[in-house]
Amino acid sequence: MPSVNHPGINKLANGWFISRMLLVAALFLALNALVGVFYFIVPGNIYPTVHMILEFTGVIVAMSVSLMSWYDYKYQGEAGVLILSVVFVMVGMMDFAHSLSYFGMPDFFGANSVNKASTFWILARIIQATGILAAVAAGQRRYSGKKSAFMPLMAIIVTLLSIYLTVICEGMLPPMYDPVLGVQTSLKVYLEYAVMAVMAAATLLILQKADKNKGDFDLAAALLAGIMSEMAFTLYSNAYDAYNLLGHLYKVLSFVFILRALVEEALEGIYRANHELVRKGEELAEANRQLRAADRLKDEFLANTNHELKTPLSAIIAFSELMADEENAGQLNELQRDYLKEIRDSAQALLDRINGLLCLTGIMGGKVVLCQEKMSLKEMVSEVVARNRPAFVNKGINLDVTFADGEWIVGDKEKLSMVLNNLLTNALKFTDPGGTVAVCAGVDREAGSSFFSISDTGIGIEPGQTGSIYKMFYQVDGASTRRQGGTGIGLTLAARLVEMHHGRIELESEYGKGSKFTVILPLIGLEEDKTCPQK
Ligand code: ADP
């Protein structure tokens, strides 16, 4: 049933509904009175054509109602519209049989007669009236039976069968038209009254509804037109007279009202969906704005906190270096020197992590720019290796360094040092004592790239994990990395920094045997050394 839940779209006030219904009823009665005053009989040579046009229009509208209701049901799943869909395909077919049985049409399974046409007519009206009553009663109740798709199909088969049986058994059925007297039988007239009563009951059911909407108004108007149609058919005394014509007209009008209700329902559905979409869009935009604000706050917080942490850490490193300088701070025994070194190394490790986090936050916020300058790859690698060598010695891991041809490249020395440092500390972490880590760096002029690679004889990485290790906070084995320490951002940061250099990281790894990370950077002409703001 046409239903609208969105407030303010088309709910109607009761007074408005009743007054509009009374207006429609008054218009219909005026039309009836007009026909009474200007009563005429349509000439026999014209009537069949006029009748056919009205009937076929009715059939087309009935089929459209059925189709529209079906799609309405498909999207909304309401029992009322499913009933309408089934009822109107039956009504359309019965009315089609009625039109084909009329005088002037070729014989339809045997000789045509007014009685045959009237039988199909009254059958169509009984189906129409009871169907609409059932649809109104079912209303917006949900129905999602699996067999619902077969219902219109079943209705078509049953109607075809009924049409065939009606034609075959016409002689056995009670007559609807008396050809001798040229009038409808009293049974036909009573049946028309019964149809009117059923339609009136459906109308009352709608009037009783608390929250009526435009769709309900159209349906009530359709029922009123249906009642008027039946009334006209009880009034006619000649099959070609003005009342008969008016009855057909009302019938088409009744179908059109129902179609209008369905079209409006569909349009309102689109309106509602659109309205909802706009609302959701606004909500999303607002959520997005809040997220951006929260993100900015987070960035600011991280930047401030990192700064707050870096300052005391730098002081710890500086003072532990000063204390280690025996000329300045006096003689230290071996144990004191060891403790001091531990303090310095731990503070440096912490500073490296904070710098990494700060750098990653900056990259995410689009605030990090590269300082591309002519630099010696050999020097950069040697410095990072020298910084890390004591830790390798401590853990008992061999650290080999080889340099291939070429030395000068253009890049951000500080950032590339960070990349190498992260890869080297990972190699150290994931290689057992006695293992070997080999660093190789050089320039491949033919390939137009420079590279540095770090291979280890460590735990290796399973093939299924190689894509994930660059994700932020990702650690292959939480337990082992907890043992080794780590935050899960080292490779993310390395990958981002290499990407910023338009390079890539290649990984070859054999689980249980070791891994090799190779950073490949495109060679930029030395003349392109322009991006360093402070230079
Ligand atoms: P983490 O701080 O945990 O080292 P990374 O982003 O640097 O974070 O590395 C992510 C994960 O990738 C590590 O936790 C580890 O599981 C795996 N990984 C990185 N380098 C190696 C390596 N050389 N050998 C084995 N696994 C590695």
Side-chain angles (χ1 to χ4, degrees), residues 9 35 59 90 92 100 109 134 208 232 291 324 393 396 400 418 484 529:
I9 291 181
V35 169
V59 170
M90 295 174 89
L100 296 184
F109 295 124
Q208 220 193 45
L291 264 175
V393 174
D400 298 338
M418 232 179 224
Q484 316 286 354
D529 169 21

Side-chain angles (χ1 to χ4, degrees), residues 323-337:
M323 265 185 87
D325 183 356
E326 295 186 349
E327 272 181 31
N328 275 333
Q331 196 74 31
L332 297 173
N333 66 33
E334 197 159 334
L335 194 64
Q336 284 169 328
R337 264 202 305 277

